[in-house]
Amino acid sequence: QVQLVESGGGSVQAGGSLRLSCAVYGYTGNNYCWTWFRQAPGKEREGVAGIGSGENSPYYAESEADRFTISRDDAKITLYLQMNSLKPEDSAMYYCAATYRATCAGSFLWGGTWKVPSQYNYWGQGTQVTVSS
């Protein structure tokens, strides 16, 4: 059973940076797709950035591609999201999620399936990010 524990959220001013972490427990094998989601009050949960276990090419929602960087540390079994040039509209609860798949490429990536919350089996409890203007 995979368990995910996020940390690193907080309050920052616009233009600032935060790095979120997601510690992974109970992980075995290499066939997982890892994704950071966020959900603001009154809005749907949306995929922000993702990366596969055995692959090194991350993928991003278009609006975050130039400000956010997803990475993973295989030794620490930890997922990260570096967020720069933060804006008030980035304020949300941020979640890491995982799904077991043969590949994170193909239709899962190019069809946008990676951004669909129902595709994920495992979720963390979330970490709050608040950006003030």
Side-chain angles (χ1 to χ4, degrees):
Q1 181 78 2
V2 173
Q3 294 183 333
L4 309 173
V5 180
E6 302 97 333
S7 61
S11 297
V12 296
Q13 290 191 329
S17 298
L18 282 174
R19 189 177 81 155
L20 307 183
S21 299
C22 175
V24 181
Y25 302 94
Y27 164 66
T28 59
N30 290 314
N31 296 106
Y32 284 89
C33 305
W34 311 92
T35 297
W36 283 99
F37 284 83
R38 67 184 179 189
Q39 187 169 21
K43 295 189 176 181
E44 294 186 351
R45 192 167 296 190
E46 59 177 357
V48 173
I51 191 168
S53 290
E55 302 157 11
N56 295 318
S57 298
Y59 36 90
Y60 300 92
E62 187 174 348
S63 58
E64 274 66 57
D66 59 344
R67 299 185 299 121
F68 292 3
T69 302
I70 188 173
S71 61
R72 65 175 195 273
D73 184 325
D74 292 336
K76 296 180 180 180
I77 316 180
T78 301
L79 189 71
Y80 300 99
L81 183 68
Q82 177 68 43
M83 304 186 295
N84 299 325
S85 302
L86 284 163
K87 306 173 183 178
E89 51 264 42
D90 294 318
S91 297
M93 186 72 80
Y94 283 71
Y95 301 90
C96 62
T99 183
Y100 184 83
R101 296 185 68 91
T103 178
C104 306
S107 60
F108 181 76
L109 173 60
W110 301 113
T113 304
W114 72 273
K115 293 184 282 186
V116 179
S118 62
Q119 295 293 314
Y120 293 80
N121 310 102
Y122 306 104
W123 291 87
Q125 82 288 349
T127 186
Q128 180 68 41
V129 171
T130 303
V131 185
S132 58
S133 58

